[in-house]
Amino acid sequence: MADSEDIFLRAKHRTFSGLTEDAESKWTGPFFFIQAADPQLGLMKAWKEGDCEGGGDEWAEEVELIRRAVEAVNQLRPRPRFMVLCGDLVHAMPDTPFREGQERDLKKALKGTDPSIPLVFVSGNHDLGNTPTPRTHEQFCSAWGNDYFSFWVGGVLCLVLNSQLFHDASACPQLKEAQETWLEEQLSRASSSAEPKPKHVLVFQHIPLYLKTPDEEDDYFNLKREVRQSLLERFKRAGVKAVFSGHYHRNAGGLHDGLDMVVSSAIGCQLGDDAHGLRVVLVTDEAIVHRYVSLEQLSMGGADRDLQELLQG
């Protein structure tokens, strides 16, 4: 790559450089990747002080957690094919104090990631605003690359989606329409007999479809039932195997009708009893198996042991 900044802008033209259909559409055997969520620099102090709207003027704790995560991931053998961060990269909303500093320090910490491990970025509500606008959308894309795109890894098709456009696109309806058109094209192709035929289809987005069951009540932490049911039907028709998300700052989710809704807790601020951690995801010929691993376990080689256990079934 031309310079180190390029690692943050590899998602462009609705694909991801180095993980393209031409290069990665053939199944080459089992592999694993790392899913992370909600580093959200600034939330830990804001949460402690009870000022999540205006707080967050310190983020050294989150930076240290990210550095620990990067160091531990770099030690994994074999190395993961990629690491995806499922949104809320920083806590400061667009055009608010601390935003620039939080993004700067997050990028500085992530630059330590081994160059052989691509970093995939998903947009969250704090990255775009709860009601995104064309301006906040452009700000995100300028800093982190496309907000929705596809990529291939070892015969597996991965779709990265902007879930804020499912949540509230009232200020940017044209952006919502564009993503919907693109998504329908991707899902239609995935379910067709056209080559290349993906071994699996995976989706990455920030807001979960649901936390426990598909028919649960609407909540801040899930998508509205009408939107949720529509996406579930479309995903199932296209053969989507799993949807990976964050947003909840706790582990949740569940398998329903063959689709696994995976809700991972945070690298950063915990809102429940989970530890700061990452999810190790093993992709086999038949299944997607995964386990949440704390940063402490990860640094002590726990992910290696978990990988061996996952490989052994």
Side-chain angles (χ1 to χ4, degrees):
M1 288 177 285
D3 59 67
S4 59
E5 279 299 303
D6 288 347
I7 68 173
F8 304 112
L9 296 171
R10 293 179 67 176
K12 49 190 174 183
H13 310 303
R14 303 301 171 206
T15 187
F16 191 95
S17 64
L19 297 177
T20 62
E21 179 180 322
D22 289 343
E24 291 281 348
S25 63
K26 292 183 179 180
W27 174 251
T28 54
F31 64 88
F32 81 100
F33 65 88
I34 299 294
Q35 184 221 2
D38 301 276
Q40 204 160 343
L41 274 66
L43 178 58
M44 291 179 74
K45 182 182 179 184
W47 183 261
K48 289 174 187 175
E49 294 184 343
D51 184 14
C52 291
E53 295 296 323
D57 60 340
E58 294 180 9
W59 48 89
E61 288 182 281
E62 288 95 342
V63 168
E64 179 58 27
L65 289 166
I66 294 161
R67 286 175 176 160
R68 286 173 55 196
V70 165
E71 183 177 338
V73 168
N74 285 346
Q75 297 304 312
L76 293 174
R77 297 295 185 276
R79 288 202 169 104
R81 288 301 315 273
F82 65 93
M83 180 163 68
V84 56
L85 281 77
C86 282
D88 278 3
L89 306 176
V90 298
H91 180 61
M93 291 285 191
D95 297 319
T96 64
F98 317 127
R99 172 74 172 215
E100 182 178 348
Q102 289 175 4
E103 286 193 329
R104 179 196 63 232
D105 289 350
L106 175 58
K107 288 185 175 183
K108 184 177 179 180
L110 290 172
K111 282 180 182 178
T113 307
D114 189 278
S116 68
I117 306 172
L119 294 172
V120 178
F121 300 102
V122 180
S123 59
N125 57 303
H126 280 262
D127 305 312
L128 292 162
N130 288 319
T131 302
T133 68
R135 173 181 168 82
T136 64
H137 173 267
E138 176 57 31
Q139 288 173 341
F140 175 85
C141 293
S142 295
W144 304 102
N146 286 169
D147 57 322
Y148 61 91
F149 56 95
S150 65
F151 64 98
W152 289 76
V153 181
V156 174
L157 173 61
C158 301
L159 304 177
V160 172
L161 303 180
N162 179 346
S163 58
Q164 284 309 114
L165 298 179
F166 301 136
H167 172 72
D168 182 1
S170 58
C172 54
Q174 291 179 324
L175 295 177
K176 177 182 179 179
E177 183 179 350
Q179 177 175 253
E180 286 290 343
T181 300
W182 174 88
L183 177 58
E184 191 55 40
E185 291 172 354
Q186 297 294 313
L187 295 177
S188 296
R189 183 177 177 188
S191 61
S192 75
S193 58
E195 294 293 337
K197 187 71 176 174
K199 175 64 69 173
H200 303 294
V201 182
L202 307 179
V203 169
F204 301 96
Q205 60 186 55
H206 180 61
I207 303 176
L209 298 173
Y210 56 85
L211 300 176
K212 294 182 180 179
T213 62
D215 59 352
E216 68 194 22
E217 295 297 320
D218 293 349
D219 187 271
Y220 171 79
F221 290 108
N222 63 21
L223 289 176
K224 292 179 180 178
R225 194 180 306 186
E226 181 180 353
V227 175
R228 178 196 322 160
Q229 294 297 341
S230 174
L231 286 170
L232 279 169
E233 291 173 9
R234 295 164 69 190
F235 289 168
K236 289 175 183 177
R237 284 199 302 269
V240 173
K241 204 69 170 271
V243 178
F244 292 88
S245 69
H247 190 50
Y248 192 44
H249 293 255
R250 287 153 284 198
N251 288 307
L255 180 66
H256 294 274
D257 294 333
L259 191 151
D260 194 3
M261 180 65 249
V262 184
V263 184
S264 291
S265 196
I267 293 182
C269 186
Q270 300 298 313
L271 303 187
D273 298 326
D274 297 297
H276 306 284
L278 307 168
R279 190 169 296 274
V280 179
V281 184
L282 177 66
V283 181
T284 72
D285 183 68
E286 298 294 332
I288 311 297
V289 289
H290 49 85
R291 186 171 298 171
Y292 187 81
V293 183
S294 72
L295 293 186
E296 183 177 2
Q297 289 175 304
L298 198 67
S299 64
M300 296 171 61
D304 292 322
R305 291 191 293 274
D306 281 352
L307 272 174
Q308 293 305 315
E309 290 178 13
L310 291 172
L311 283 166
Q312 293 167 10

